[in-house]
Amino acid sequence: MNKEIVQQIINEVYPKITKHYGAHNGYEIPTVEVHTNIFARISDIEGMEGDSCPSGEFCKDENKIFIYFPYIKDKIDLIKALLHEYKHYLQPRKAEEYYYDLGFTYENNPMELEAISEEQNYKLFN
């Protein structure tokens, strides 16, 4: 999918997601930005690449969801990425570090598993 189509779908679907789930207490609803990949975004160097890249990311420090459009296959994949990252926004801000401190990994961290599970609700927004 190209950047323009991804942005069109975000404009259509994201307001429905935010209306359905609401805001996290004390935090504004995050904005969504579309980028090529995490490496180009962080380095601010267009074309920068790395080993692997997620399709989305929630940055709690900026209160933003980043969508990396080359890694989005279709509308359902995009909705799942938005739901996954929005779930991270709704989760307690310090819980992720808490679980990592207890020895959980990315693969078994309850916060990540909860966000993955949230993706199944894509049918509500398709």
Side-chain angles (χ1 to χ4, degrees):
M1 295 183 72
N2 68 39
K3 186 175 183 175
E4 291 75 25
I5 292 172
V6 166
Q7 188 63 60
Q8 288 173 358
I9 295 169
I10 290 169
N11 293 346
E12 170 197 338
V13 173
Y14 191 61
K16 296 174 187 175
I17 291 171
T18 61
K19 182 177 180 183
H20 180 80
Y21 290 99
H24 182 42
N25 290 340
Y27 297 99
E28 295 203 17
I29 290 174
T31 58
V32 179
E33 290 184 7
V34 180
H35 292 270
T36 304
N37 66 53
I38 192 171
F39 305 103
R41 181 184 70 78
I42 290 172
S43 70
D44 205 23
I45 299 171
E46 193 61 39
M48 176 67 77
E49 295 191 18
D51 291 340
S52 66
C53 185
S55 59
E57 169 193 19
F58 171 65
C59 178
K60 62 184 174 187
D61 295 332
E62 296 182 51
N63 197 44
K64 289 183 181 178
I65 293 173
F66 298 105
I67 296 296
Y68 303 111
F69 73 90
Y71 304 92
I72 300 293
K73 295 178 290 200
D74 54 30
K75 183 178 181 181
I76 290 172
D77 199 36
L78 176 55
I79 295 169
K80 286 181 176 182
L82 289 169
L83 288 170
H84 183 110
E85 302 311 330
Y86 202 79
K87 185 64 176 183
H88 284 315
Y89 154 73
L90 292 171
Q91 293 168 330
R93 296 286 164 118
K94 295 185 179 191
E96 182 179 29
E97 293 85 11
Y98 170 78
Y99 285 115
Y100 285 131
D101 289 345
L102 289 176
F104 287 89
T105 65
Y106 179 83
E107 289 77 21
N108 67 6
N109 186 316
M111 307 303 281
E112 194 60 35
L113 296 175
E114 187 178 52
I116 290 168
S117 178
E118 194 65 44
E119 295 175 20
Q120 298 311 306
N121 290 327
Y122 76 89
K123 298 171 192 144
L124 298 173
F125 308 99
N126 188 15

